[in-house]
Amino acid sequence: MRVLGIETSCDETAAAVVTEGGDVLSDVVRSQVELHAPYGGVVPEVAARDHARAVVPVVREALSRAGVAAADLDGIAVTSRPGLAGALLVGLQAAKGLAWAAGKPLVGVDHLVGHLLAVFLRRGDAPPPEERPSFPYVALLASGGHTAIYRVDGPSLGAIRELGATRDDAAGEAFDKVAKLLGLGYPGGPVVDRLAATGDPAAASEAVPAVMARKESLEFSFSGIKSAVARHVAKRGRPEGQALHDLCAAFQGAVVDALVQKTVRAARIEGVERVVLAGGVAANRGLRARMAAACERRGLALFVPPFASCTDNGAMIAYAGALRLAAGERDALDLAPETRTALPRVTRKGGGAR
């Protein structure tokens, strides 16, 4: 089975052709980072208009690289939720038009499910099939807009259960906002990660509190650490040189510690021996290193996708769609975009008593 996947949920226009077994035949991603950088974040209208310009050339390139025509496909998958409404609509309309014209089945994919299954993609630099996880596993999904821990018992929506999520900002949002406070530009995660590698977290530890360190909780809150850095900058000004590196190291260390500790705790509570990293923040070197060390200490098997499978991409959408098609599922051409995930949420947004 060969499936075309189209992804336009936020600020990447992506398309890929993937087999039911997870073999990536092509994967094309057009980033909008330069478009949004002057604004310090994603502007929904700008994103949607750029998707409209790019989606047809990106799809054509994906088909060309895979060496297939639309008639050769077994189905078309598209991100239908969650994401920016206008951006999702562009991908949906493109997928519907292609599915109708080629007479192929259409399936919508939840973007978060795509991330949670991206570990099964087989790229040129991916590990062999026997080194991929089996169900169940505990997954940390950390990206620009989502941070949550899930138990994944299978690829369907009903087999995925949220164990804990962020009450406010996602980890990626916290990285971007702190980077903006420090004058590091957008996106902030890669820059903070690079500077943190040569910083001493202990030298700036007084400026960065622990992230929601209650041992019994699997929830996250990153607004406090962001506010602490803002107060530090307001009081002392933007740090420079080694002081900047130290503050980045302290901030990243606090965020990563929370992500690692709660993910490992979730695996222990659930009695699961496999841990998966997913989402754009999974490309962070500090997170990868600390999660690997923590899992090794506790006898857990860690599975981390290649960098190309961590950030938003069409391959994960195509693969998740292929599994839906293989299960006999189809969507009608009136499939509509939804800004929220279909995965049930157990963590309530905001503060207050729980």
Side-chain angles (χ1 to χ4, degrees), residues 105-167:
L106 174 75
V107 286
V109 172
D110 190 295
H111 181 82
L112 302 191
V113 175
H115 273 304
L116 292 172
L117 299 178
V119 70
F120 293 104
L121 294 174
R122 294 203 292 255
R123 301 176 183 269
D125 56 349
E130 61 269 17
E131 294 184 19
R132 296 189 299 173
S134 56
F135 298 111
Y137 56 80
V138 164
L140 169 66
L141 198 170
S143 66
H146 307 277
T147 297
I149 302 171
Y150 295 92
R151 177 186 172 116
V152 183
D153 289 295
S156 65
L157 286 171
I160 301 172
R161 178 164 55 92
E162 180 190 300
L163 303 176
T166 180
R167 295 181 177 182

Side-chain angles (χ1 to χ4, degrees), residues 71-352:
D72 302 320
L73 298 171
D74 295 288
I76 296 169
V78 60
T79 304
S80 59
R81 62 192 308 165
L84 303 174
L88 289 170
L89 187 60
V90 173
L92 272 167
Q93 294 301 88
K96 289 178 184 180
L98 188 56
W100 178 83
K104 302 299 179 181
L106 174 75
V107 286
V109 172
D110 190 295
H111 181 82
L112 302 191
V113 175
H115 273 304
L116 292 172
L117 299 178
V119 70
F120 293 104
L121 294 174
R122 294 203 292 255
R123 301 176 183 269
D125 56 349
E130 61 269 17
E131 294 184 19
R132 296 189 299 173
S134 56
F135 298 111
Y137 56 80
V138 164
L140 169 66
L141 198 170
S143 66
H146 307 277
T147 297
I149 302 171
Y150 295 92
R151 177 186 172 116
V152 183
D153 289 295
S156 65
L157 286 171
I160 301 172
R161 178 164 55 92
E162 180 190 300
L163 303 176
T166 180
R167 295 181 177 182
D168 39 60
D169 289 340
E173 291 173 321
F175 271 95
D176 287 339
K177 290 176 179 179
V178 166
K180 187 174 182 179
L181 287 169
L182 299 177
L184 300 178
Y186 173 85
V191 182
V192 172
D193 186 27
R194 177 172 55 81
L195 296 179
T198 54
D200 177 10
S205 59
E206 79 287 348
V208 180
V211 176
M212 200 171 170
R214 286 196 356 238
K215 289 186 177 181
E216 71 278 9
S217 174
L218 295 179
E219 297 180 355
F220 303 94
S221 174
F222 297 107
S223 62
I225 189 172
K226 173 200 65 182
S227 299
V229 174
R231 289 191 296 269
H232 180 78
V233 171
K235 181 179 180 180
R236 301 191 181 185
R238 286 178 175 172
E240 298 179 352
Q242 187 59 42
L244 175 61
H245 293 231
D246 294 341
L247 184 57
C248 287
F251 166 76
Q252 175 166 291
V255 172
V256 166
D257 282 347
L259 295 173
V260 170
Q261 291 170 10
K262 298 195 178 210
T263 301
V264 170
R265 185 181 308 145
R268 188 190 72 244
I269 293 172
E270 293 296 313
V272 173
E273 298 178 350
R274 292 167 291 278
V275 172
V276 168
L277 288 186
V281 180
N284 182 282
R285 292 172 296 177
L287 174 59
R288 286 174 171 241
R290 294 199 197 185
M291 188 69 80
C295 287
E296 184 176 4
R297 287 195 301 270
R298 291 161 179 80
L300 300 172
L302 176 64
F303 301 87
V304 185
F307 288 110
S309 296
C310 293
T311 53
D312 291 353
N313 62 89
M316 67 184 191
I317 303 304
Y319 177 65
L323 296 183
R324 286 200 64 199
L325 288 167
E329 299 177 27
R330 305 287 188 275
D331 286 309
L333 291 179
D334 62 355
L335 178 65
E338 297 286 347
T339 58
R340 296 185 178 182
T341 178
L343 295 173
R345 184 178 177 89
V346 300
T347 303
R348 182 168 63 83
K349 285 280 190 177

